[in-house]
Amino acid sequence: MSEWKMKRFWEVAAAVEVEGGFTVYLDGRAIKTPGKASLIVPTLVMAESMALEWDAQVEGVNPETMPVTKSANSAVDKVTPQFDAVADMLGEYAGTDLLCYRASQPAELVARQAAAWDPLLAWCARVFAAPLTPVSGVMFAPQPELSLHILRAVLSDLTAFELTAMHDLITLPGSFVIGLAAMKNYATPAELWELSRLDERYQQEQWGLDEEAEDMARIKGEAFEHAHDFFQKSRN
């Protein structure tokens, strides 16, 4: 997403209902996206969260402290005009889902993956009638075409704001199924993020903690939790 630079010029940031949804007024003037589009969001709670972010700015506007506004900007400027392309890209993750690519050894890791990931795949098969088949090794193995079609269709029913959230819920863990589980509140975002890190945790037990890698994982985990929160705000 394109960044923007702005100095604080307003006294009051307020969430306001407008035609088509809600927005934020800065001293009575509606905010716009970096692409100069009207930033109209689907729910009051999202607009209120954005207003709090704008109100928290001091002298200059720092987009890194405004995650809800940034995601809303992306939904309007980036996802809306290319919705199908984004959905198609995310749909491809179902065909190479993290949960389907299993270790062939050691036995302890094989067992951990089965215990942690099999229930999620069973849930996906039951709830969406879209079974995916786990395989051993890293070589590509095709998944059932009907399942891939069904899972891709789930994305078509979302709004641009929901799809914006799903982008991170799917790409950060590398799992379409984990993204669906987050969307449906199968477990907490923290629990789902840990499921995606099962292999990393096993390697840490064998070789010790890589602090740089752990810092990066923490940042991604926070982004995953924000995406889940943004998805909820898109609906409530």
Side-chain angles (χ1 to χ4, degrees), residues 12-234:
V12 178
V16 178
E17 186 171 8
V18 295
E19 183 178 357
F22 302 86
T23 192
V24 172
Y25 278 4
L26 304 179
D27 292 346
R29 297 172 57 185
I31 61 174
K32 292 185 177 297
T33 70
K36 307 304 181 185
S38 297
L39 185 50
I40 298 175
V41 301
T43 66
L44 177 60
V45 67
M46 183 179 290
E48 289 174 337
S49 295
M50 293 195 304
L52 288 173
E53 291 177 348
W54 284 93
D55 194 50
Q57 304 306 301
V58 184
E59 296 181 357
V61 175
N62 179 9
E64 297 306 314
T65 64
M66 307 172 75
V68 180
T69 302
K70 285 185 67 177
S71 292
N73 283 334
S74 292
V76 173
D77 281 351
K78 302 297 184 182
V79 176
T80 295
Q82 52 182 349
F83 184 98
D84 288 340
V86 174
D88 285 343
M89 181 273 289
L90 294 177
E92 293 178 0
Y93 277 78
T96 58
D97 200 287
L98 167 73
L99 306 188
C100 292
Y101 285 83
R102 307 292 180 85
S104 55
Q105 60 178 338
E108 182 181 358
L109 179 57
V110 172
R112 287 191 193 184
Q113 290 176 336
W117 294 348
D118 283 357
L120 264 176
L121 292 181
W123 169 83
C124 181
R126 182 177 69 255
V127 172
F128 295 95
L132 297 176
T133 305
V135 297
S136 296
V138 296
M139 296 299 292
F140 174 75
Q143 294 293 339
E145 286 296 326
L146 180 58
S147 294
L148 298 181
H149 176 76
I150 290 171
L151 295 175
R152 167 61 180 84
V154 171
L155 301 180
S156 295
D157 292 334
L158 302 179
T159 67
F161 287 84
E162 292 166 344
L163 190 64
T164 298
M166 287 300 289
H167 178 277
D168 282 359
L169 291 175
I170 292 171
T171 62
L172 287 170
S175 170
F176 195 101
V177 175
I178 286 179
L180 287 181
M183 181 181 82
K184 293 292 188 178
N185 292 314
Y186 173 93
T188 68
E191 289 168 339
L192 291 171
W193 181 247
E194 278 301 305
L195 286 177
S196 77
R197 300 195 64 209
L198 187 150
D199 290 351
E200 296 173 51
R201 294 302 191 197
Y202 181 80
Q203 293 301 321
Q204 287 174 359
E205 292 175 13
Q206 310 310 307
W207 307 105
L209 186 69
D210 182 331
E211 292 187 2
E212 184 176 346
E214 191 65 16
D215 285 343
M216 182 60 66
R218 177 185 54 78
I219 292 170
K220 289 181 178 180
E222 290 172 354
F224 184 83
E225 295 210 23
H226 162 69
H228 178 267
D229 180 66
F230 189 77
F231 188 92
Q232 300 304 315
K233 283 182 168 65
S234 297

